[in-house]
Amino acid sequence: MHDLAIIIVSTNEGHWLRPCLSSILARAGDLALDVVVADNQSTDGTRELVEHEFPAVRVVSCENRGFAHANNRGLMTSDARYALFLNPDTEIL
């Protein structure tokens, strides 16, 4: 079981994901993280970016039925004790 799931919804926001995911992974410490990008039918190469540059991060594809739906789809795939819903333009300092 993971300590924390971090769910990030992306709808063509791949340009934000590199700094966001880099900062999460760099500051995870000893937490067992389950980082999930819920890809809301992006056409900007989001899936490819995450899979190639961040192999520890999972991508969940979902139909674009809105922000809440994508968050729920990402959460449904995790077994973490706690969840953090994070916007893709966030960096952990």
Side-chain angles (χ1 to χ4, degrees):
M1 175 182 281
H2 293 94
D3 297 319
L4 177 66
I6 300 178
I7 313 297
I8 304 165
V9 175
S10 179
T11 308
N12 293 320
E13 295 174 303
H15 62 284
W16 292 110
L17 286 174
R18 187 174 287 114
C20 177
L21 295 173
S22 294
S23 71
I24 289 168
L25 298 174
R27 289 165 181 80
D30 60 355
L31 285 176
L33 293 181
D34 183 17
V35 183
V36 180
V37 173
D39 183 13
N40 232 356
Q41 293 182 316
S42 296
T43 59
D44 67 346
T46 291
R47 172 177 284 282
E48 294 78 12
L49 168 86
V50 174
E51 289 177 345
H52 292 266
E53 294 188 31
F54 302 95
V57 176
R58 295 187 301 114
V59 178
V60 174
S61 296
C62 53
E63 239 180 272
N64 190 349
R65 294 185 182 170
F67 183 69
H69 178 263
N71 274 308
N72 286 330
R73 294 289 301 152
L75 182 60
M76 287 171 38
T77 69
S78 182
D79 68 349
R81 185 173 184 181
Y82 299 102
L84 170 66
F85 297 98
L86 194 66
N87 287 337
D89 61 346
T90 303
E91 291 183 49
I92 308 300
L93 303 178

